[in-house]
Amino acid sequence: MRSIRRRLTIGYVVALGLTLTLFGVVLYVDRRQADFQSLDDRLEVEAQLTLRMLRDLSRSLGRLPPVVESVQQYFQGFAHYLVLVGTDQNIILVIDPVGSMGNEAVGRLRELTNLVKDGTPTWTTTTIIPGQSPVRLYLAPVVGADPAIRYMLVGASLDEVSFGPAALLRSMLLVAPVVLLVSVVIGSWLAGTSLYPLESTIDELTAITDGRSLHRRLPVNPSGTDELTRLSQAVNGMFARLEQSFAAQQRFVAEASHELKTPLMVLRAGVERALTDSTTPNESLEALDQSLEEINRMSELVDSLLTLARADEGRVALAVETRDLRELVNEAAETAQILGEAKSLTIRSQVPDGPVPYPIDRTRMRQLLLNLVTNAVKYTPSGGGVTVSLTDEADVVHLIVADTGMGIAPGDLPHIFDRFWRADPARARDTGGTGAGLGLAITKWIAEAHGGSITVQSRPGKGAVFTVSLPRSGSLQSSAVA
């Protein structure tokens, strides 16, 4: 969420920055062009005034004397460059507001008169004094005045043009950081306000983590028509279909498991009766014994399915009472000792010296430990070892079952608590495994029903360590039996 908010804020600021930059460039170019046009208009007016003064002088003096100083006094107030060129390309008058124009610059101005063709005025921009700003020049023929004057050049430095746009550019550079900073604050606030409904939607979706929460729905604004409202409506529709499908599946599993228990009990009773009947032929005893083994395995599978189905529906109540966990650990170690005798396994039990009281359902917690030690014995080769230990910390209690067996492949670790999941068939054959893949799923449910969790650490050939963590502040998940 913060990432989306950050991206929206950055995008808003970048878009605003690009907009300001484009606006500034357009404004700068337009202002500069307007100033150029204003300068051109002023130069053209000054050229017309100069031409008028030359005409007036010609009428009053008849002809401009060869001594320039005698007429230069009439142009002393001229603020820009003014150059009068005679018919033989000689310079008649030079007005230099800077006072640094040398012979080279004057010669350059004389050459620029070649740009005037067919008596049509023209414009040009050039650098006439090295190291100084370029000059905008208006070149025009002199008509109606002293015939000795052929051209005039009126010019002004581009510093007069660049001052306005440069000041504008400096102002924009000073204002831009402030504008961008304010836009960051406003953009972050707008993004947070816009994404707030999405945050509540995410929180609600996070809370819907299992089949018991599918009845929950996302909040929907009845009058809303935006994208988030449509998204919430679509997700709610999906949850409704999932809830219906999941409920149907749970009912089927629970009812099928319940219905299968009775015929299995009848079959087991019949087979056991036949096994104890002295008239049963010897050649039938082996087949009956195998049938009884399969019936028991199916009964165990049905019981596991029924337990999980009821757990999904929240119909399994925990008979909670405070017990000393050391008793369960020692009992599980004794069971592992019995199961591991055929393999000559070394069974160790490690418990604290003092009692470790904890509120538990003794039957379910015993089932959890038996599932773990049974798997440990099953997957540990002859001569190996199994350790059942209990640690009591300040805020959590750990039940640990470790073995020195073949371990679990890294690709299998994320799935071992999934229902009906089995490791690769070769591993099952090597250990004689015939389980249905529900034992660890039930173990996980029991741990979570007590407010705890279960984790596993393992490497191939290095054994496995299952750790059940029961927090002291954990809340038990119990409900009334339906």
Side-chain angles (χ1 to χ4, degrees):
M1 180 56 61
R2 294 179 180 175
S3 178
I4 295 177
R5 180 174 181 175
R6 186 181 301 112
R7 289 200 298 268
L8 286 175
T9 302
I10 293 174
Y12 174 78
V13 173
V14 170
L16 180 60
L18 292 177
T19 303
L20 287 176
T21 301
L22 180 60
F23 173 76
V25 170
V26 173
L27 185 61
Y28 178 83
V29 172
D30 179 72
R31 180 62 178 171
R32 185 176 176 84
Q33 187 65 31
D35 286 352
F36 263 110
Q37 186 62 46
S38 176
L39 180 61
D40 289 349
D41 293 341
R42 281 186 288 146
L43 293 178
E44 188 173 1
V45 170
E46 291 177 358
Q48 294 175 356
L49 292 175
T50 302
L51 180 58
R52 184 179 304 172
M53 291 179 65
L54 291 175
R55 289 173 178 173
D56 292 341
L57 287 172
S58 296
R59 285 194 296 268
S60 63
L61 300 177
R63 180 181 176 87
L64 291 179
V67 181
V68 176
E69 288 78 1
S70 61
V71 295
Q72 192 170 4
Q73 57 181 336
Y74 295 101
F75 299 96
Q76 288 300 321
F78 204 84
H80 295 146
Y81 292 98
L82 175 60
V83 179
L84 299 179
V85 182
T87 56
D88 55 355
Q89 297 294 323
N90 62 312
I91 301 299
I92 297 176
L93 178 66
V94 175
I95 300 296
D96 178 10
V98 179
S100 59
M101 186 182 300
N103 295 330
E104 183 178 353
V106 173
R108 173 61 177 158
L109 292 175
R110 183 187 298 112
E111 295 174 358
L112 291 176
T113 58
N114 296 325
L115 298 176
V116 181
K117 297 180 180 179
D118 301 329
T120 302
T122 186
W123 297 92
T124 186
T125 303
T126 184
T127 301
I128 60 176
I129 301 176
Q132 295 188 8
S133 299
V135 175
R136 181 69 169 171
L137 293 172
Y138 177 71
L139 299 85
V142 177
V143 181
D146 191 329
I149 304 176
R150 187 176 181 183
Y151 302 108
M152 67 174 173
L153 291 80
V154 181
S157 174
L158 290 186
D159 287 340
E160 299 184 21
V161 177
S162 61
F163 177 78
L168 175 64
L169 181 61
R170 285 193 299 270
S171 299
M172 293 186 64
L173 291 177
L174 291 175
V175 173
V178 178
V179 173
L180 292 178
L181 180 60
V182 173
S183 68
V184 169
V185 176
I186 296 177
S188 179
W189 177 78
L190 288 176
T193 304
S194 301
L195 293 177
Y196 178 77
L198 186 58
E199 292 181 353
S200 61
T201 299
I202 293 175
D203 293 339
E204 190 69 20
L205 287 174
T206 304
I208 304 175
T209 56
D210 51 38
R212 292 182 295 274
S213 303
L214 290 177
H215 64 281
R216 302 178 63 168
R217 296 293 181 269
L218 301 179
V220 177
N221 184 5
S223 60
T225 58
D226 57 6
E227 290 80 358
L228 289 178
T229 300
R230 294 167 54 195
L231 174 63
S232 299
Q233 291 173 344
V235 172
N236 286 340
M238 180 187 67
F239 278 149
R241 293 189 295 271
L242 286 175
E243 182 184 17
Q244 182 179 4
S245 176
F246 197 75
Q249 179 187 12
Q250 287 179 333
R251 286 194 302 271
F252 170 77
V253 173
E255 293 174 1
S257 301
H258 182 75
E259 294 298 327
L260 285 174
K261 292 188 67 174
T262 300
L264 285 175
M265 292 176 60
V266 173
L267 285 174
R268 180 165 57 187
V271 172
E272 290 176 346
R273 188 183 308 112
L275 286 172
T276 57
D277 191 350
S278 58
T279 62
T280 302
N282 293 332
E283 59 271 15
S284 300
L285 293 179
E286 182 177 359
L288 289 172
D289 190 61
Q290 293 178 354
S291 297
L292 181 60
E293 182 178 352
E294 290 299 319
I295 291 173
N296 289 333
R297 189 179 69 84
M298 290 183 62
S299 298
E300 181 181 353
L301 173 61
V302 168
D303 288 340
S304 298
L305 285 173
L306 188 58
T307 297
L308 290 175
R310 288 175 175 175
D312 289 338
E313 294 178 348
R315 298 196 304 155
V316 179
L318 298 180
V320 179
E321 57 180 337
T322 301
R323 304 296 295 263
D324 187 355
L325 294 180
R326 295 182 303 170
E327 300 177 2
L328 291 177
V329 171
N330 291 330
E331 182 180 344
E334 292 175 1
T335 302
Q337 185 69 47
I338 297 173
L339 296 175
E341 286 182 355
K343 293 184 176 183
S344 300
L345 299 182
T346 301
I347 309 299
R348 288 184 292 272
S349 175
Q350 299 176 352
V351 297
D353 295 333
V356 183
Y358 196 89
I360 58 171
D361 183 323
R362 187 181 187 281
T363 301
R364 293 300 181 186
M365 191 59 65
R366 180 176 180 274
Q367 182 182 10
L368 178 150
L369 288 172
L370 288 180
N371 284 344
L372 294 179
V373 298
T374 301
N375 280 345
V377 171
K378 180 188 301 184
Y379 293 107
T380 301
S382 300
V386 176
T387 302
V388 186
S389 59
L390 170 66
T391 61
D392 185 10
E393 299 179 1
D395 55 351
V396 65
V397 176
H398 296 293
L399 298 170
I400 304 172
V401 178
D403 63 68
T404 60
M406 63 181 62
I408 305 172
D412 296 336
L413 282 175
H415 307 288
I416 60 172
F417 296 109
D418 295 345
R419 300 178 185 182
F420 296 104
W421 186 87
R422 300 285 301 278
D424 60 272
R427 183 173 183 267
R429 287 195 301 268
D430 292 341
T431 59
T434 57
L438 293 176
L440 289 179
I442 294 177
T443 299
K444 182 175 182 290
W445 165 72
I446 295 174
E448 293 177 348
H450 285 78
S453 62
I454 182 171
T455 59
V456 58
Q457 296 177 342
S458 179
R459 288 189 300 170
K462 301 295 183 179
V465 179
F466 286 84
T467 303
V468 178
S469 301
L470 302 173
R472 290 289 186 184
S473 59
S475 59
L476 295 179
Q477 179 183 339
S478 59
S479 59
V481 178

